């Protein structure tokens, strides 16, 4: 049962929004929209609705950073319930592709984040064992993760007093893809010492210690993996597989037969149309994959055969996180789409992008046609799986508005805060700089500053007041260059964009709120949903460059980042009054008028939102141990720097050599050496990205340091 715990009471527009949304769900409305301005407490409103309807809930956000923030907020509201985080576990992902024009094949390359994988397992296991579950996910939730039926069927319960053969336990664990070890336990491994079996599950940083006397399970303990102290004596544990894709042996045999049949058919087709190169390419790869699957149960790119392993018909939709919700709940669950104006189009576009890439691979003999079924859901398939839905946005899109039977507006903030004041300032500087056709502030003595000079002056003023500043640019490079330039001026600044690792984004935002630095420069990640009450100034550079990043919706969303601070102010740098600027300013002024009138009527004095800065990583069980961090990055970096100091070759050449060494070490089963080389490669790539492709051997300038 969901139990909302908070000292806050619904205020402003929240009471009517909660009542209307709850009433709509109870009446059976399939689609509703909460049009809530930034800072109006949409998450709190949704939490109240969940408390009232008591349904498992999936919240979809359009990026990992926003998902992390929402997850933390829901955990604060529901500390006794299960709130999980489900996003893509790739820190780096380069999909397999083929470019016919240049005859270039690009192999799949990925880097899996083990901590995020753990959180994904925690989410799916919760859905199969509990009803009081909220999962906050990115759009990756519409990708295949295997059958929930097989995942649940493969689970293994061990009870105190139960009679079990040790050989049966070990055989079951191996089938569930646990790995046996005699060294330290890690996620998804087990260790047998005499009569004691120790298991570390894939979803939780703990060790289950099972003591047996003969064939009887005498004791089950949950222990701390570091201190080895007993946390709890247990009567029963339920273990789930270490991978979401779990296939019984009979199904594997059937899948291999089906793959051979499809291979024969596709080779026949290529023979008929005279594609001899494609015949050789497809046959060689597929037969190698079949042999690998037969011998070790896995091959590189095994997900491309997922249709056969799951027994799906050609073209049938994949099994996704949505199936985990519906398995035990049917349609009696709730789907909330946050920042729906971005998330819905994102969901709608994922299938076509994946299809175009896979089609080329199939046509040129790199993959069997069944690889096309390793895909995200089509939007029509997503719609067919929708339960009752609530869309959240300050700027809802056409889809939400057309489908919603009820649109609930939440304009009044509980804090009394009003939409920020908007200032229009010129992009170009000098006395002859053209003025935009509206009132401009900031010019002195007839000479107007350029946008960079002006924003720097405004930043210095906010820093003196110990307030934070967000600056948005049009490109990633502009964001990086501007943050470097500000740093040269002794202004503490950092950049944030899509190439920054998921967990690093969370850490950056946390440090920004704490005041470790004062200015955050970004492109698009700083637009929707981020809750940063310390920000009092938002500067939008090149606001008149109309397009996706400077559309009406984008401008309104970015303006909203300053709406959580009583001193909130937004500067739009523009030389031309575009239609998007005019509409965004007009809508902001409309809302501002309603808010001011409400405050006057009720005698409300606006106040800045006060929110405790929490360590999101620790909330998710990702504890950054300083010693471990030093061991992973510091020592590796120091050793690498010594190596670079005596090697005059370009860094790119060293990087290429290390990649070859890593692959060789992995092939020779020297996994510790391969892991060390992998860490060094990652450090070198990050250094090159940060400092550019400079090398002492080619330019005479010092090469980038390997330290992070």
């Amino acid at each position: 049962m969901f139990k909302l715990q908070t000292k806050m009471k619904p205020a402003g527009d929240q009471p009517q929004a909660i009542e209307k949304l709850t009433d709509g769900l109870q009446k059976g409305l399939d689609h509703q929209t909460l049009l809530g301005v930034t800072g109006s407490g949409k998450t709190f409103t949704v939490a109240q609705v969940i408390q009232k309807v008591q349904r498992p809930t999936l919240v979809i956000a359009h990026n990992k950073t926003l998902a992390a923030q929402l997850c933390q907020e829901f955990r604060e509201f529901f500390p006794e319930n299960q709130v999980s985080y489900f996003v893509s576990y790739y820190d780096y992902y380069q999909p397999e592709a083929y470019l016919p024009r240049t005859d270039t094949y690009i192999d799949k390359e990925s880097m899996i984040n083990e901590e995020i994988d753990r959180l994904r397992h925690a989410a799916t296991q919760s859905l199969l064992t509990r009803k009081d579950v909220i999962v906050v996910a990115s759009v990756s939730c519409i990708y295949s993760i295997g059958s929930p039926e097989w995942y649940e069927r493969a689970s293994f319960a061990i009870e105190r007093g139960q009679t079990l053969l040790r050989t049966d336990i070990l055989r079951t664990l191996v089938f569930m893809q646990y790995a046996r070890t005699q060294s330290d336990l890690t996620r998804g491994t087990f260790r047998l010492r005499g009569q004691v079996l120790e298991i570390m599950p894939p979803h939780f940083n703990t060790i289950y210690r099972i003591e047996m006397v003969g064939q009887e399970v005498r004791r089950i303990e949950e222990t701390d993996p570091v201190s080895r102290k007993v946390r709890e004596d247990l009567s029963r544990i339920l273990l789930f597989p270490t991978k979401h894709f779990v296939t019984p042996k009979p199904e594997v045999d059937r899948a291999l037969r089906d793959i051979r049949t499809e291979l024969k058919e596709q080779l026949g087709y290529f023979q008929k149309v005279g594609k001899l190169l494609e015949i050789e390419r497809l046959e060689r790869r597929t037969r190698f994959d079949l042999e690998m699957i037969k011998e070790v149960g896995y091959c590189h790119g095994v997900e491309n055969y997922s249709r056969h392993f799951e027994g799906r018909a050609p073209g049938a939709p994949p099994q996704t996180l949505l199936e985990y919700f519906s398995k035990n709940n049917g349609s009696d669950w709730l789907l909330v789409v946050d920042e729906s104006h971005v998330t819905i189009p994102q969901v709608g576009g994922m299938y076509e992008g994946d299809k175009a890439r896979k089609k080329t691979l199939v046509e040129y003999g790199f993959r069997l046609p069944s690889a096309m079924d390793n895909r995200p859901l089509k939007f029509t398939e997503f719609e067919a799986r929708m339960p009752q839905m609530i869309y959240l946005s300050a700027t809802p899109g056409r889809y939400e508005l057309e489908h919603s039977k009820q649109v609930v507006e939440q304009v009044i903030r509980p804090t009394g805060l009003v939409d920020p004041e908007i200032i229009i300032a010129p992009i170009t500087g000098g006395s002859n700089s053209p003025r935009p056709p509206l009132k401009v502030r900031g010019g002195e003595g007839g000479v107007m500053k350029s946008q960079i000079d002006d924003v720097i002056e405004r930043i210095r003023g906010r820093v003196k007041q110990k307030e934070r500043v967000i600056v948005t640019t049009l490109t990633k490079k502009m964001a990086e260059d501007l943050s470097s330039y500000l740093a040269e001026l002794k202004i503490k600044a950092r950049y944030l964009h899509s190439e920054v690792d998921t967990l690093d984004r969370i850490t950056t935002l946390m440090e920004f709120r704490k005041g470790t630095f004062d200015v955050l420069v970004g492109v698009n990640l700083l637009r929707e949903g981020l809750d940063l009450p310390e920000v009092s100034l938002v500067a939008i550079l090149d606001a008149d460059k109309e397009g996706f990043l400077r559309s009406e919706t984008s401008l309104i969303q970015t303006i909203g980042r300053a709406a959580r601070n009583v001193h909130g102010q937004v500067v739009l740098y523009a030389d031309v009054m575009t239609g998007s600027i005019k509409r965004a300013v007009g809508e902001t002024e409309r809302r501002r008028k309603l808010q001011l009138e409400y405050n006057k009527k009720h005698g409300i004095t606006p106040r800045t939102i006060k929110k405790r800065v929490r360590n999101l990583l620790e909330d998710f069980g990702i504890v950054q141990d300083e010693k471990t961090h030093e061991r992973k990055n510091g020592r590796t970096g120091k050793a690498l720097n010594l190596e670079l100091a005596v090697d005059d070759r370009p860094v790119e050449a060293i990087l290429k050599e290390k990649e070859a060494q890593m692959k060789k070490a992995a092939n020779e089963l020297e996994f510790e050496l391969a892991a060390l080389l992998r860490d060094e490669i990652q450090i070198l790539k990050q250094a090159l990205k940060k400092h550019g492709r400079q090398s002492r051997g080619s330019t005479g300038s010092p090469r980038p340091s390997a330290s992070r």
Side-chain angles (χ1 to χ4, degrees), residues 592-620:
R592 186 176 167 90
K593 182 180 178 183
L594 292 173
Q595 293 154 356
L596 289 170
E597 289 175 352
Y598 183 90
N599 288 351
K600 184 179 180 180
K601 181 180 179 180
H602 294 86
I604 296 173
T605 302
R607 63 185 189 279
T608 299
I609 294 174
K610 300 290 184 182
K611 294 192 88 171
R612 183 164 60 98
V613 181
R614 295 190 59 171
N615 190 326
L616 298 188
L617 298 182
E618 290 184 0
D619 287 345
F620 298 151

Side-chain angles (χ1 to χ4, degrees), residues 340-610:
S340 60
H341 63 284
V342 179
T343 307
I344 289 295
Q346 213 175 64
V347 172
M350 293 179 92
Y351 170 76
E352 291 298 333
D354 184 83
K355 177 184 175 182
R357 178 176 58 81
K358 294 276 181 57
K359 185 178 179 182
T360 303
L361 290 169
V362 172
E363 287 179 353
Y364 288 88
F366 290 96
R367 289 294 175 192
L368 290 170
S370 57
M372 298 285 291
D373 290 323
N374 171 41
R375 59 175 177 83
L377 292 173
K378 301 175 183 177
F379 192 73
T380 53
E381 295 166 344
F382 176 73
E383 286 183 307
R385 287 156 176 76
M386 290 178 177
Q388 287 185 289
M389 300 186 62
I390 298 176
Y391 305 100
L392 310 181
S393 178
T395 53
R398 180 181 297 176
Y399 179 88
E400 303 95 280
L401 295 176
E402 289 179 351
H403 285 76
S404 291
K405 304 298 183 183
Q406 177 175 234
V407 177
V408 179
E409 195 168 57
Q410 189 170 293
V411 177
I412 308 301
R413 298 181 176 89
T415 56
L417 286 169
V418 301
D419 278 27
E421 177 190 21
I422 297 177
I423 294 174
I424 311 294
I427 296 174
T428 53
S431 58
N432 296 321
S433 176
R435 291 178 176 268
L438 69 166
K439 186 178 180 180
V440 177
R441 307 181 188 182
E444 296 180 4
V447 178
M448 291 180 288
K449 304 179 183 71
S450 68
Q451 62 178 353
I452 300 300
D453 291 333
D454 186 75
V455 79
I456 288 171
E457 184 178 317
R458 295 179 187 273
I459 287 171
R460 293 189 191 280
R462 299 291 169 160
V463 171
K464 287 182 181 178
Q465 300 298 320
K466 297 183 178 181
E467 297 170 350
R468 310 289 186 269
V469 180
I470 285 176
V471 182
T472 66
T473 64
L474 287 174
T475 67
K476 297 174 184 177
K477 189 174 186 307
M478 287 173 64
E480 294 175 8
D481 290 347
L482 180 57
S483 63
S484 298
Y485 181 61
L486 293 174
E488 290 175 6
L489 299 176
K490 308 300 182 185
I491 296 173
K492 292 183 287 185
R494 292 187 195 175
Y495 66 83
L496 189 71
H497 53 59
S498 59
E499 293 184 13
V500 178
D501 290 346
T502 304
L503 300 182
D504 287 343
R505 295 180 205 171
I506 297 171
T507 301
T508 297
L509 291 171
M510 182 177 66
E511 291 179 347
F512 182 50
R513 290 199 59 201
K514 286 181 176 179
T516 305
F517 61 98
D518 302 305
V519 184
L520 188 58
V521 188
V523 185
N524 199 35
L525 287 177
L526 305 179
R527 200 179 76 180
E528 280 95 3
L530 294 182
D531 189 356
L532 305 169
E534 295 79 12
V535 173
S536 66
L537 176 65
V538 172
I540 304 175
L541 304 185
D542 301 300
D544 59 359
K545 304 300 187 289
E546 196 152 19
F548 172 71
L549 293 177
R550 298 295 182 262
S551 65
E552 175 190 352
T553 297
S554 293
L555 291 174
I556 291 175
Q557 289 289 340
T558 308
I559 288 167
R561 295 317 100 206
R564 289 178 168 87
N565 193 292
V566 72
H567 302 133
Q569 191 178 77
V570 177
V571 183
L572 304 179
Y573 291 97
D575 288 336
V576 177
M577 186 64 164
T578 65
S580 293
I581 292 177
K582 189 180 293 183
R583 290 188 296 273
V585 172
E587 176 61 15
T588 302
E589 290 300 322
R590 182 189 75 84
R591 296 174 181 179
R592 186 176 167 90
K593 182 180 178 183
L594 292 173
Q595 293 154 356
L596 289 170
E597 289 175 352
Y598 183 90
N599 288 351
K600 184 179 180 180
K601 181 180 179 180
H602 294 86
I604 296 173
T605 302
R607 63 185 189 279
T608 299
I609 294 174
K610 300 290 184 182

